[in-house]
Amino acid sequence: MLRKMQKVNHNTSDLIQESNIESELRLCILPNEILQEIFSYFNPETLLTIKNLGIQRLTDLSQYVKYVNFSSCCAISDEDISSFFTKDRTEQIVHLNLDYVFRVKASTLEKCISKCKNVTTLSIMECGLSYENIFCIFENCPQLKELYWTLSSKERKKKKIPTKLKIYQNIKKVYIHDTQFRNSDIEILGLVMRHCLCAEDVCINCSPYFSKTVLNCASRQIYTAKVLCKERKYPINIVMKTLFTDHIKIERSLEQRFSDLYNSNLFRYPLEGEDLTLFIKSDSYLQFVTQEEDFAELPSLPNNSIESLIVILTSSKELFYSHMEKIKKMTGSALKRLNFHNCKTEPNEQDGNAQAPDILVTYHILESITSNSYNITELNLSEIHHCTIFPFTYLHNLKKLKSLSLSGCAFKTPESIKDDICDEQRPGGFDYFVEKCNGIEKFQLLACLWCWSSPTDDDLMSIKKWKKLRSLSMSRVVSLRVCPFLYHIANDCPNFSYLEINQIGDPNVCHYMHNVVHILQKSKNLYFLRINQTAFYPMNTLFWKAVQSANNLHGLCLGSAGNTAFENKIVLNAIRELQYLHLFHLVGQRICESLLPQIKKIMVKNGMQTYSIEIYPKTTEGAYHECPHAHFPGQ
């Protein structure tokens, strides 16, 4: 689907900058088919610069690209994006991704998209397009089959709803993101779904996570459900977020949020026998979920390998072993995303303990799947409690693994546990795994839901060997202190761009700040930084000078429970130098009310058409200091 649109060439600038005759001749001797394949990997900005070589044949061939992805060119201007959509190009484009293009006017985007008469897949997440823009695109793009869209904040105003609607029969999949439902939003959403009555796959995502498949990091907070629409044949997928961990509280919270939907003219309660409102804990509405009540349906499942699989473990090892062959039929070369979850038993909030499924059964299932699925690129094991040493050797077969999520107790060592496994049965450790699977780009480490065990600073030193590492997220890992691996990541990982730190180590200290400063100074591709820590000192001048030097920073999220005030002058001086900054979230005890309009003024002056500014001043000591929003979808 959109996989080809994710291809971003990081080395094309060197090729384009070579203007000598020798390099031009090397390109000219290549056949057309090979050149077109090479150009399909180029991002749009690079394609625009090909004409600077002055070779007409290369310029002509660069027009024939079917998959166009602007998500890596989010700071592109109106003029450049308009010059890209020439007549020759627009006739060829089939898949178009304009996610997070935040400096281009909605009217310009609508005009460019409308030229692409043959586009079948369109992704316009977080770029400010309104319902009126969508309606115009529907009219001008008759081949459109898949739409991914974030509801624009401009839709909040009450508008006249048209009575005559045209049904667009070709559209089969619609994904709409909105942070929360309002009455006016429900009317807009209803209009879109009535336009697309033939769409079999419709999802409304009102969680903060607006990626097309909700991220692994959201798996503890995201719940999905199927609801019935009054005018549609097929049910609609709903994605919602809850902060609760207790399942009774979760159901009450979600039921309360759904009451507004059922009271609208869009959705209806299920009739007797229609059991469609069962909430499923999942990290993506698109993925298949295997849990205890689903085993009866296993015979009807496909015999071929599927792309995504979530295994929700139960406490019955006999149940799993008896269906293991059926589950393995769905694994294989096509499996790309694999997620493991323990059963629905949650840990006790007092002591952090709960009865988890037999971990050896879990490892047996993991080995059975990974040994048969060598193309897995995303693996989420952060929902598993490890009461013994985690067998990293079971992952050595995953040479294409790019995204890995682990719980803290996966790093248990023989010295930290007592079990009956003899030495020759002990699997290889994390350091050896890092060497065997060296293509990791995204790494996430979360606190275990069942225990407080977690790695030390030394245990994570080897991640610097992941030269392709781009994203690192750490949340509530209590044993970390100085985090020296951050220093080495800045030096050894040239593509590093995303750092998220949420309440690690002792919440009352912040010993790792000098290493964060080093990342700000050395990682030239850093586009997002989050630090939510009780003891974060907001007036650290060295930190703000480092922020000021991070020229490519697109998003900044800071949270503190300290009593020190955020001083407007030092914050604004840093933000003025960040010409691409369009996301700024701040949570603290003492924040001046004038800070928000001043930051908004700077972003508007920098040409931002869409931006997100959230400032939460807290007046009581010890108030909630974590940002309640999700940010970038783990790019």
Side-chain angles (χ1 to χ4, degrees), residues 270-283:
L271 302 174
E272 185 177 355
E274 290 181 321
D275 190 13
L276 292 175
T277 56
L278 290 176
F279 295 97
I280 301 174
K281 189 170 186 179
S282 161
D283 67 350

Side-chain angles (χ1 to χ4, degrees), residues 275-430:
D275 190 13
L276 292 175
T277 56
L278 290 176
F279 295 97
I280 301 174
K281 189 170 186 179
S282 161
D283 67 350
S284 170
Y285 78 97
L286 294 174
Q287 296 179 344
F288 173 77
V289 179
T290 304
Q291 54 186 353
E292 197 163 1
E293 55 264 33
D294 292 327
F295 279 123
E297 301 178 5
L298 283 177
S300 62
L301 294 174
N303 290 326
N304 299 325
S305 175
I306 60 176
E307 188 169 314
S308 301
L309 175 65
I310 297 177
V311 178
I312 298 183
L313 305 167
T314 72
S315 57
S316 171
K317 65 174 69 175
E318 293 80 11
L319 186 61
F320 259 116
Y321 283 138
S322 63
H323 293 92
M324 196 61 231
E325 290 303 317
K326 296 176 182 177
I327 295 176
K328 286 184 67 174
K329 287 182 179 180
M330 295 178 292
T331 67
S333 59
L335 188 64
K336 298 293 194 302
R337 295 182 291 274
L338 176 62
N339 295 264
F340 270 69
H341 293 258
N342 281 328
C343 61
K344 291 186 177 182
T345 303
E346 296 288 347
N348 185 287
E349 294 183 2
Q350 300 297 324
D351 57 16
N353 294 317
Q355 183 179 1
D358 189 332
I359 193 63
L360 296 181
V361 177
T362 302
Y363 292 164
H364 174 73
I365 297 170
L366 177 64
E367 181 187 24
S368 299
I369 294 178
T370 55
S371 63
N372 192 42
S373 307
Y374 47 86
N375 287 325
I376 292 175
T377 59
E378 298 179 24
L379 179 62
N380 179 17
L381 300 175
S382 64
E383 309 303 305
I384 300 178
H385 168 60
H386 306 276
C387 56
T388 184
I389 301 174
F390 176 67
F392 281 104
T393 52
Y394 292 173
L395 310 183
H396 290 179
N397 187 47
L398 308 181
K399 303 300 183 183
K400 297 184 180 180
L401 190 63
K402 294 183 178 180
S403 177
L404 176 64
S405 183
L406 292 175
S407 55
C409 57
F411 290 82
K412 286 183 176 178
T413 60
E415 294 77 19
S416 64
I417 62 174
K418 294 181 180 180
D419 54 34
D420 297 327
I421 301 178
C422 59
D423 290 337
E424 49 271 7
Q425 289 178 308
R426 296 191 185 278
F430 180 73

Side-chain angles (χ1 to χ4, degrees), residues 42-49 68-73 76 84 89:
F42 286 12
N43 65 40
E45 285 184 314
T46 304
L47 290 173
L48 279 173
T49 61
V68 178
N69 181 9
F70 278 92
S71 65
S72 62
C73 317
I76 195 169
F84 179 84
R89 276 205 179 97

